[in-house]
Amino acid sequence: METLRKIAYFSMEIALDAEIPTYAGGLGILAGDTLRAGADLRLPVCAVTLLHRKGYFRQRLDDSGWQFEEEDPWDIEKYLTPMEPRVKLTLDEREVWVRCWRYEIEGQMGDNIPVYLLDTDVEENSEWDRHLTDRLYLGDHYFRICQEAVLGIGGVRMLRALGYEQLARFHMNEGHSAFLGLELLDEEMSLRGSEEIDDAMLHAVRRKCVFTTHTPVPAGHDQFSLEMARKVLGHHEAFFKRRDLFEPVKCATDCLNMTYLALNLSHYVNGVAKRHAEVSRLMFADHEIDSITNGVHAGTWVCQSMQSLFEKWIPDWKLDNFNMRSSLSIPDDDLWRAHQAAKNDLCDYIVNETGEQFSLDVLTLGFARRATSYKRPKLLFENKEWLFEIAKKAGGLQLVFAGKAHPGDDLGKFFIQDIIRMRADFAEHGIKIVYLENYDMKLAKYLVSGVDVWLNTPQPPMEASGTSGMKAALNGVPSLSVLDGWWIEGCVEGVTGWAIECPSGGRDARSLYEKLEQQIVPLYCERRHEFINIMRHAIALNGSFFNTQRMMLQYLARAYFL
Ligand SMILES: *Cc1c(COP(=O)(O)O)cnc(C)c1O
């Protein structure tokens, strides 16, 4: 029976399908990949998120390279089924009604995972409340706390109204959904007819909750002033008496911190890579924090030509991703041909979008991520002369960029503009640069499979995990990356890719150029079979491990059924 499902997965964003723009980036992609693997593994999971009628935003770049944001409405009725139940919550003394829509994630074995997308656009609500579930990550603090209350409190109430009575675990993918713990506490209190929160109730709620944290810096954690929280959440006297549940120990901040709330209400907490868990333990010394390294969903991210190759050489690669270790026996020619087919598809995409003709035979680097300072999108350009030199030795270079800046992040928008403005100058030195508009799932798949090397230059320890390099690895595309996030675990130097070393003096660009000049270019241009061997090991060592099948099995063993 559908409603006997045991695990409820909550996330502010979920990338359900390339045609459904209900995600902003890595967090949403991870949520989608998690659920896709859950469906493949036939796990008894259901999921809750918000509808995001108008998506995150569609990125447009004008002639000067400046980013503009457009609403990104989508055809809800085409993909979703409206559900009957309506639930109600009180926000700042207003009654807000919530309905939901159902999306089915199909597993390979024919089992589905239902995803419920909450929607406040119903007639009974005020005009303002009707827009609460329209857009992802926009609006001020007040808007955000209302959205998060709809997700956490409205989400639990909706699952109950849909008939889910057997839920034993509630998984919070980041702190946005932590108000679900508040609702579970309310359930306990009314069950026991109590007006206070006692240890037994806390214990009961903690048994049910699992929290995955994604943010390596304190500033990244959501918090709201206590005054606002009281105003919006209203009658929760027992809860607001227990400030230890949502503030740091011995340090009154007069804020309700969503990360502390999630930490304090969960029996199991994890970071998304080994290094990230270490960093999180320093931030939250009073909590035990495990690590389960992220993955990606192989069936979603392996491109067509690679899928055909795997079908031929790796029986059951999709059903059980561990089988990808067998990629070591794929012959050079076959692997190269499949890669070139993917590169050809990317070149077609590029010429259609920009008119720029990329060559199949020139070393091509890919860089796609949110345009923001810590990702250091311009590190590659720190020493132009050196880069020109390298391009000369390589017989040219092709650079493909993509990524959105957060609408409020002008610095990020300047990064994009700067890169676009360098094009003409670089073209004279044999370096082609394109910046592709509107980075999304569809474009990501072209990029991670079609470039030759995947570049990543975050400022450590800011990259909690990173997943795009894992997608590249699955497609036989090795990474050249700073040792941070997952790459600390995934990099075997010269075997699965290359590390950009980060000496404390900030000479990271030097290491980047050295690796390009001394390792990558000679292998790509002169010792192709050695380059292909690295591609093969990217699949065998990293594709077989950094996938959401392995990740879900770890959640199952450690978090869900402990
Ligand atoms: C995979 C992916 C991301 C996350 O990639 P990172 O390496 O974590 O930056 C973001 N956006 C899209 C569209 C993706 O496909």
Side-chain angles (χ1 to χ4, degrees), residues 40-57:
D40 288 348
L41 294 167
R42 316 173 83 167
L43 300 184
V45 178
C46 59
V48 177
T49 186
L50 302 186
L51 182 60
H52 305 304
R53 268 173 194 281
K54 294 175 183 166
Y56 178 47
F57 68 86

Side-chain angles (χ1 to χ4, degrees), residues 184-201:
L184 294 178
L185 277 172
D186 281 352
E187 287 186 352
E188 288 297 325
M189 280 193 286
S190 65
L191 193 71
R192 295 165 202 232
S194 168
E195 305 271 292
E196 300 293 325
I197 297 170
D198 64 27
D199 286 350
M201 295 176 198

Side-chain angles (χ1 to χ4, degrees), residues 23-27 29-30 33 294 296 301 368-370 374-375 438-445 448 454 456 463 465-471 486:
Y23 61 95
L27 187 74
I29 301 278
L30 176 78
D33 282 357
N294 281 166
V296 294
W301 293 106
R369 41 199 30 92
R370 186 151 52 88
Y374 86 81
K375 305 265 194 182
N438 203 44
Y439 184 41
D440 62 4
M441 276 181 92
K442 178 167 159 240
L443 173 53
K445 193 161 171 179
V448 295
W454 193 248
N456 191 17
E463 184 96 313
S465 164
T467 53
S468 55
M470 301 175 184
K471 300 170 198 164
W486 81 282

